[in-house]
Amino acid sequence: MPPIPPVTKWLLIVNVAAFFLDQLLRRAGFSAFDALELWPLAHGFLPWQVVTYAFLHGAFVHLFFNMVGLWTFGSELEGLWGERRVVNFYAASVLAAAITQLVVTSVTGSPWPTVGASGGIYGLLLGFGMMFPNRQIMLLIPPIPMKAKVFVLVFGVLELAMGLEVNDDVAHFAHLGGMLGAFLMIRYWRGQPPFRGRRRR
């Protein structure tokens, strides 16, 4: 695991603190964080939820795997890009994931809210795969090594397949939306279509 640079460290701290505070409040009978979840447009949506949902998690396992991804991929990208750029990149992934999920819940009529940093983490994963395509990554379960570009492709295909075929409570299309936001941000920085003509700073 790489060392933890400042932005990644604070994202880890805020996510973990928000999870345990939410759990404590719910056990005490309060649901103060409900208004921070990403609710569908027809079922309680509020503008700030496109950001706040990404700091909430419904279960410890969900939090744990997201934070491992944030530590692993966020640290590498922050070391490469610096603090400001990785903040912009992560924000683009989170916002794109939220917009995608709002579209999906509007089409399907789902009344349920969405929480979790997964859209942002999938964005970081895609960014890692584009910046370090030949870096070896070891899957946790099963422990299989593969190149980062293959890892990203496998996860993208799995998310698409599960989003189309599996009826569960996972926001698969939000994950894909996070990857799309990340891809577009990198294209924007590079001045590539659909952002032709922009110079990279």
Side-chain angles (χ1 to χ4, degrees):
M1 290 292 189
I4 309 178
V7 170
T8 303
K9 178 178 70 176
W10 280 107
L11 285 172
L12 287 167
I13 290 170
V14 172
N15 275 276
V16 172
F19 174 78
F20 285 107
L21 180 58
D22 186 28
Q23 295 298 306
L24 288 173
L25 289 174
R26 291 187 186 280
R27 290 182 182 181
F30 299 100
S31 56
F33 281 26
D34 283 358
L36 304 181
E37 299 172 356
L38 181 64
W39 289 86
L41 292 173
H43 297 277
F45 171 76
L46 295 167
W48 58 79
Q49 294 170 359
V50 298
V51 174
T52 56
Y53 84 99
F55 295 96
L56 305 177
H57 292 81
F60 180 77
V61 172
H62 187 201
L63 173 74
F64 174 78
F65 282 106
N66 276 347
M67 295 305 97
V68 169
L70 175 59
W71 180 12
T72 304
F73 306 120
S75 295
E76 290 279 5
L77 292 176
E78 188 174 348
L80 175 68
W81 289 334
E83 297 176 20
R84 179 179 177 182
R85 182 157 286 197
V86 82
V87 167
N88 292 336
F89 185 79
Y90 187 75
S93 301
V94 165
L95 290 172
I99 292 168
T100 303
Q101 186 64 8
L102 289 173
V103 171
V104 170
T105 54
S106 294
V107 171
T108 62
S110 170
W112 307 114
T114 301
V115 296
S118 301
I121 305 307
Y122 271 80
L124 294 175
L125 170 61
L126 184 129
F128 184 90
M130 291 182 72
M131 295 298 102
F132 309 102
N134 295 313
R135 182 82 63 86
Q136 289 287 333
I137 296 178
M138 179 71 74
L139 283 173
L140 293 178
I141 302 171
I144 300 174
M146 63 180 67
K147 291 184 177 181
K149 59 186 178 184
V150 177
F151 188 89
V152 171
L153 180 61
V154 167
F155 268 73
V157 170
L158 285 175
E159 286 300 313
L160 179 59
M162 288 188 288
L164 293 173
E165 300 292 339
V166 180
N167 184 18
D168 56 18
D169 60 353
V170 178
H172 298 290
F173 286 104
H175 301 168
L176 293 171
M179 297 178 85
L180 176 61
F183 177 76
L184 290 175
M185 180 60 84
I186 291 176
R187 302 282 291 185
Y188 174 67
W189 286 338
R190 291 175 174 175
Q192 296 173 327
F195 310 104
R196 188 180 302 277
R198 181 187 183 277
R199 282 185 167 181
R200 182 174 183 176
R201 295 178 182 175

